[in-house]
Amino acid sequence: MALFKKRTVGKPGEWYYCLEHKKVEEGPDCPGKDRFGPYASREEATHAMETAAERNLEWETDPRWHDASARGDDD
């Protein structure tokens, strides 16, 4: 018995952004490792890469993640 199903059936109205095909899909057509989502609307899924870039920038510039102990500084 397989632990994971090959395909996951999405709920109507769930939108995903496929990283492999670089397109928006309704319902999970591609494997989970290749997609972002679910999003509530097609518009949100369309901007998935921009949202990810904004979140990455916020994380990279967050001073809580760049403290002295993380850099290995003792002072």
Side-chain angles (χ1 to χ4, degrees), residues 7 11-12 19 24 26 28 32 35-36 51:
R7 285 186 97 83
K11 297 175 186 171
L19 301 167
V24 174
E26 185 173 15
R35 67 177 189 250
F36 286 159
T51 302

Side-chain angles (χ1 to χ4, degrees), residues 9-64:
V9 177
K11 297 175 186 171
E14 286 185 335
W15 295 90
Y16 296 85
Y17 182 80
C18 177
L19 301 167
E20 183 74 22
H21 300 112
K22 313 269 191 279
K23 67 176 189 165
V24 174
E25 303 171 341
E26 185 173 15
D29 290 336
C30 293
K33 67 180 182 65
D34 294 331
R35 67 177 189 250
F36 286 159
Y39 295 96
S41 70
R42 180 178 190 87
E43 184 69 21
E44 283 182 49
T46 300
H47 298 289
M49 295 303 293
E50 294 155 7
T51 302
E54 289 170 4
R55 290 178 180 167
N56 286 344
L57 182 60
E58 287 176 15
W59 180 80
E60 290 169 359
T61 58
D62 187 337
R64 294 175 294 176

